[in-house]
Amino acid sequence: MDHDSYPDSYIRGILNTVKTIAMVGISPKTNRPSYFAFKYLMERGYRMIPVNPGQAGHDILGQKVYAQLADIPEPVDMVDIFRAPQYAVGIVNEALALKPRPGVIWMQLGVRNDEAARLAEENGLKVVMNRCPKIEYGRLSSEIAWMGVNTRTLSSQKAKLFGGGIQRMSLNRTTTAGGTTAAADRAPADDKD
């Protein structure tokens, strides 16, 4: 995988198929990027699990915080790393020890560790580095275009209303519980082009 440039179909395929995301390094501070990203993804229907040893046992946005990945009592589809690059290899090793293993390691903006990516990919996991799933979701759903940002995504589709009268775009996720969607089915075919 070329970690300098990801095809939209690769990112869309990940965001359409993962249901449960463990965010390692989330902050309880409401002005921190990790808090914003966690809240945004949770509002889009993902099951978000906070991981932060300093906050273990507390709640962030109503979700119980765990000290480490091994403490999470349910399977995780994706590990979102919100820690400095030097911690990525250790977090990937933690993820690889999980049964079942997550399918994706995602390193946030500013987080790139080629050794961690190689380790994850050698063990069959998909990897994204130096990207934010919140930003990618917003870009691919054209949600951030409402703020005047050029997403390179054009659509004549009217945005769907999702609960409470709030207009939000989606990545063709049919339910808030996740599952296979039309876009997810197309993503593997798009990668072959």
Side-chain angles (χ1 to χ4, degrees), residues 117-125:
R118 181 188 48 75
L119 178 62
E121 288 175 332
E122 284 176 356
N123 284 281
L125 280 60

Side-chain angles (χ1 to χ4, degrees), residues 15 18 20-26 33-39 41 47-52 69 72 76-83 88 91-92 95 102 104-109 111 126 128-135:
L15 294 174
V18 301
T20 304
I21 302 172
M23 184 179 284
V24 179
I26 182 175
S34 60
Y35 186 91
F36 291 139
F38 188 94
K39 183 175 189 234
L41 293 169
R47 164 79 172 103
M48 298 299 296
I49 302 173
V51 179
N52 181 329
L69 292 173
I72 300 172
V76 171
D77 299 320
M78 182 170 102
V79 175
D80 184 5
I81 301 174
F82 240 113
R83 298 283 319 271
I91 295 167
V92 168
V104 180
I105 297 292
W106 190 300
M107 298 181 219
Q108 280 290 340
L109 285 173
V111 182
K126 291 183 177 182
V128 176
M129 294 193 289
N130 195 26
R131 297 281 181 101
C132 176
K134 172 190 177 293
I135 292 170

